[in-house]
């Protein structure tokens, strides 16, 4: 049976589509591959990364639990991250002084 070049490429493209649809899209990367460290780097840390899930201390792309102060090579700053600053304990509310 002789196979044409066109048939070969049809088969290869179909094989590629099958492998694409059978690959899990939620696969995560091992920490050693992304050079994960439990300390921040240059002021960047997991808690400010777009991939970090604060409710569970997990990452969308890295396996296992991660430290909010950690860092890895796939760090990408979350543009919507807002730094929460602790209020000074010495400040008093105006309503507290109105007694």
């Amino acid at each position: 049976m002789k196979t044409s070049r066109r048939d070969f490429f049809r088969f290869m493209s179909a094989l590629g589509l099958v492998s694409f649809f059978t690959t899990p899209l939620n696969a995560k990367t091992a920490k050693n591959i992304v050079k994960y460290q439990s300390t921040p780097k240059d002021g960047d840390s997991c808690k400010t990364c777009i991939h970090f899930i604060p409710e569970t201390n997990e990452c969308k792309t890295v396996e296992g639990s991660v430290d909010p102060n950690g860092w890895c090579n796939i760090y990408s700053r979350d543009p919507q991250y807002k730094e929460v600053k602790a209020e000074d304990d010495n400040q008093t509310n105006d309503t507290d002084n109105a007694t």
Side-chain angles (χ1 to χ4, degrees):
M1 180 174 162
K2 187 173 181 178
T3 305
S4 71
R5 185 173 178 202
R6 181 174 294 173
D7 290 336
F8 171 76
F9 285 114
R10 279 187 191 150
F11 174 76
M12 293 307 288
S13 61
L15 184 63
L17 286 175
V18 168
S19 65
F20 176 75
F21 287 114
T22 59
T23 304
L25 297 177
N26 60 350
K28 293 188 175 188
T29 308
K31 289 180 179 181
N32 62 337
I33 293 175
V34 295
K35 296 183 174 37
Y36 171 80
Q37 61 189 40
S38 58
T39 57
K41 181 175 181 182
D42 301 328
D44 296 330
S45 62
C46 292
K47 65 184 174 189
T48 63
C49 180
I50 197 165
H51 304 295
F52 184 65
I53 306 168
E55 296 82 17
T56 58
N57 281 350
E58 290 183 308
C59 180
K60 296 175 186 173
T61 57
V62 178
E63 292 178 339
S65 179
V66 296
D67 187 332
N69 293 315
W71 181 88
C72 75
N73 283 342
I74 55 175
Y75 171 84
S76 180
R77 183 156 185 87
D78 185 356
Q80 297 178 351
Y81 178 78
K82 303 282 189 230
E83 185 73 37
V84 178
K85 296 182 180 180
E87 292 291 325
D88 188 2
D89 291 336
N90 295 331
Q91 290 181 347
T92 56
N93 201 348
D94 288 337
T95 58
D96 293 339
N97 294 333
T99 53

